[in-house]
Amino acid sequence: MYFKDEVLTFIEEENVQFIKLLFFDVFGRQKNVSILPSRMSRTFEKGVTIDATAVTGFNNPDHSDLVLKPDPSTMTILPWRSIDGCVIYMICDLYYPDGRRFDYDIRYILQKAVKKAQKVGLTIEMAAKFEFYLLKLDELGEKTNIPMDQAGYMDAAPLDRAENIRRDICLTLNEMGIEPHKSYHQYGKGQNEVDFHFNTALNAADEAAIFKWVVRSTAHLNGLWADFSPRPFKNQPGSGLHIQMRFFDTEDERIKEQFMAGILKYIRQMTLFLNPNKQSYDRFGKDQAPLFIDWSDQTRFTLLRIPALSPDIMEVRSPDCTCSVYLAFALLIEAGLKGIEDQLELIEPGACKRQDSMDILPTSLEEAKALAIESDFIANVLPDHIINTYIKKDQ
């Protein structure tokens, strides 16, 4: 955690040669602009302007200029760059030229959700669990559909050929001050998982957003392709982004149940933003991915899971890695807070399946879009422009 003056001192004393300023479009795709150290002081004061019309979801003709302002607390050294003349990055917040926060900044949307929770006395911690495939490249360096190994769930080397890659990923993250919880080979051939420790919601989202960059860079350095798509192979398990949540400052079981009830009530309406691609819907109900809108403290494979050894944790298992973690975290927090506000009753675990209910997740991107369009909950959380950008997305 750095402040502005500390960043400037670090840049001078540690021979920083290059600074990358990161931000994310409305789909959570990473963007960046680079500056030299001599511009850092002015950048903290004035920011850096970008062309909003060229960024997906930012293209408001009335505001073609946006300003990036780096968050000094996110300053991190890039370990894969030379230490002699190092490169650092910072994640930026987005502003209008008149100093107002940019409405479509997905980090801002999460920041607002966090503040809303704090106003009702709740500090929510979150953690992400990523599944992804490592694929071979061809002789031209292009992605193939060939997994790097044939290993299965928690297999060991030499069958698990990704062990060293996962080690490099975790050690790189650790050098960056991002501490992973565990890593292992998943069920699919070439499929891996890396899990994170709990952190504040904003810090956890920042870590999750950076994680994919680290994985892709590490894979590239090892002649591989990291595939985060939800179901790259029809005959192999899909890949999810399991999101864990817990309250840092309350043990009130009633509050927890109302929060869970809110997530279950609004999960269908928010699914478009948790699963924004057509391929996302090929994963539901297959290979242990959830389909029914249900919860359990007994089985790992339900939509909303309470881990056996951690009853204070709730894990949402429907999102996939193509979502924006900032929007996913914000929507889950907002849904839980709505459940508390409305004092919703939590259904019995397993009730959905026992009653042969049709209360299931959307089965297509088109259905998810229709639910989002009709949702007052989504309209109250997300700007119309972001909703419309997701609605118009055709893949």
Side-chain angles (χ1 to χ4, degrees), residues 305-323:
R305 170 193 172 224
I306 307 300
L309 298 180
S310 304
D312 62 323
I313 293 173
M314 59 195 89
E315 178 177 293
V316 183
R317 300 182 62 258
S318 62
D320 63 60
C321 299
T322 59
C323 75

Side-chain angles (χ1 to χ4, degrees), residues 123-126 198 244-248 312-314:
T123 300
I124 299 170
E125 294 189 324
M126 306 187 78
F198 278 93
Q244 295 188 326
M245 314 176 71
R246 71 181 181 191
F247 300 128
F248 178 71
D312 62 323
I313 293 173
M314 59 195 89

Side-chain angles (χ1 to χ4, degrees), residues 131-135 188-191 225-227 232-233 236-237 239:
E131 296 172 341
F132 58 95
Y133 278 85
L134 290 174
L135 308 177
K189 298 174 181 178
Q191 189 183 33
W225 177 270
D227 190 319
F233 304 106
Q236 293 290 319
S239 294

Side-chain angles (χ1 to χ4, degrees), residues 146-161:
I146 304 173
M148 75 164 296
D149 64 29
Q150 300 294 305
Y153 182 65
M154 287 195 172
D155 278 342
L159 186 59
D160 172 14
R161 298 181 182 176

Side-chain angles (χ1 to χ4, degrees), residues 330-349:
L331 287 166
L332 290 172
I333 291 171
E334 292 277 6
L337 294 177
K338 192 75 168 75
I340 295 171
E341 179 184 342
D342 295 342
Q343 299 185 358
L344 298 181
E345 293 290 331
L346 181 63
I347 60 173
E348 291 295 319

Side-chain angles (χ1 to χ4, degrees), residues 188-221:
K189 298 174 181 178
Q191 189 183 33
N192 300 268
E193 178 165 331
V194 177
D195 302 344
F196 284 87
H197 288 287
F198 278 93
N199 207 332
T200 64
L202 182 62
N203 287 344
D206 287 340
E207 291 178 350
I210 294 299
F211 171 75
K212 290 202 286 187
W213 183 27
V214 172
V215 173
R216 287 172 173 146
S217 298
T218 306
H220 177 74
L221 290 172

Side-chain angles (χ1 to χ4, degrees), residues 3 8 39 61 87 139 149 160 188 190 192 194 201-202 267 289 295 301 305 356 379 393:
F3 296 96
L8 295 173
R39 305 300 297 172
V87 176
E139 61 276 7
D149 64 29
D160 172 14
N192 300 268
V194 177
L202 182 62
I267 193 72
W295 75 278
F301 311 128
R305 170 193 172 224
D356 194 26
K393 186 176 184 291

